Amino acid sequence: MLNSKRILLIIGGGIAAYKSLDLIRRLRERGAAVTPVLTRAAEEFVTPLSVSALAGEKVHRDLFDLTAEAEMGHIQLSRSADLVVVAPATADLMGKMAGGLANDLASTLLMATDTPVLLAPAMNVRMWEHPSTRRNRDLLAGDGIRFVGPNSGDMACGEYGPGRMSEPMEIVAAIDAALGNGPLAGKRILVTSGPTHEPIDPVRYIANRSSGAQGTAVAKALAAIGAHVVFVTGPASVPPPQGVEVVRVESAREMDAAVTAALPVDAGVFAAAVADWRVASASDRKLKKTRDGLPTLEFAENPDILKRISQMREGRPPLVIGFAAETDNVLEHATAKRARKGCDWIVANDVSPATGIMGGSENAVTLITAEGAEDWPRMGKDAVATRLACRIADVLSR
Ligand code: CTP
């Protein structure tokens, strides 16, 4: 059931738009509220009157509609939904999204939204297979946009192949999954990610090579199976996933405070590469070269966030997971780290330069729990994340 869920439905300009009328009915039957948006081209295929009659809501059509802006601005419109669904998603809309264009109401809403987005593409088979569409599809999937379809079959244009929009009930099933009616529905999970930057002065800082890719993948995988993810991220080089609550921080101390503010949680995954030290007295002015030689930097120890949370006496998350990035004696160091920090699991990996793991797209990890160590084969960081998310779901749903 989709009771009290709000769907912002963007209808693009393609012949499959007629199926979106049925989609609106199916969604409303399941208790969802549907706010429809029509592109100019969509109005050539379905009328605003039929869409609004079925949705029981006003149709939004114009970026510069003064009455609509006064009632509900387009930014608010883009954020008030639980899910944004684009059906049919045309090659043109996908291109605009991939290229960051915002020149009409639909594309502006898609850029301004911070809620998850699901696309149901529909287009001629040649258009779907065109290199630019494939490129855009990959870019959008990389940005965390979800897809349902297209299906293969006879198309309205008389050709055969992939490009048909998914059937309304398939789109409803994808909406269910995107809304996280999954095993972690109702669970709140904290994920830390990325490096931290420790200031030396207002223009310089100490950092590390973490890209944030693994933490981002974990957050995405947890959200995909229904978790509410609070994603506390340092200045990572990969963007945060869609559909998570993002808290951006710079330094270890800011991360520590953001983690405390995120509690209570059902589980914490500490994937950030937190700097162990900071410059003891960072200057509030840019350090200048002097004739007296090189400046000396004194270090102070940063709070160990994972250790502090693992050893909380009250309110400790039921499951605390740390990461251990090691360059030698991985198993030995990581096992000792699990005991020293007091966390439940450690995800250990070898980040020596020869492995290409730090900053790369693959990972080879060993999961260390109270029961022992489990070697996982080398796989993409997304696959590691999905496997970890399923393990977390196993424990939290017991
Ligand atoms: N971590 C943390 N806060 C810190 C340092 C680390 O929360 N100040 C977390 C990381 O997010 C990771 C785990 O602790 O989950 C392991 O970090 P690592 O730097 O490998 O641990 P250290 O205790 O600093 O061990 P080492 O001596 O290997 O640096």
Side-chain angles (χ1 to χ4, degrees), residues 11 21 24 36-38 46-57 59:
I11 303 180
L21 299 179
I24 296 173
V37 175
L38 280 180
V46 287
T47 70
L49 185 60
S50 46
V51 171
S52 97
L54 286 168
E57 284 199 29
V59 177

Side-chain angles (χ1 to χ4, degrees), residues 192 252 255 269-276 302-307 321-326 333 337 340-341 346:
T192 71
M255 185 172 279
V269 183
F270 295 81
V274 186
D276 288 327
N302 270 330
D304 187 326
I305 309 168
L306 173 64
K307 188 170 176 183
I321 304 167
F323 274 68
E326 309 289 346
H333 282 151
K337 199 166 278 181
R340 194 168 66 240
K341 305 247 189 189
I346 282 269

Side-chain angles (χ1 to χ4, degrees), residues 49-117:
L49 185 60
S50 46
V51 171
S52 97
L54 286 168
E57 284 199 29
K58 169 183 157 66
V59 177
H60 298 265
R61 304 155 66 186
D62 216 340
L63 182 56
F64 300 109
D65 178 340
L66 290 180
T67 323
E69 277 301 305
E71 286 167 4
M72 185 196 258
H74 63 269
I75 298 290
Q76 199 193 336
L77 183 62
S78 76
R79 307 224 175 129
S80 57
D82 296 297
L83 184 70
V84 179
V85 178
V86 188
T90 58
D92 177 65
L93 268 172
M94 286 174 59
K96 280 182 182 163
M97 288 176 76
L101 297 184
N103 62 354
D104 61 6
L105 181 61
S107 50
T108 304
L109 292 175
L110 286 162
M111 270 203 95
T113 192
D114 58 359
T115 49
V117 177

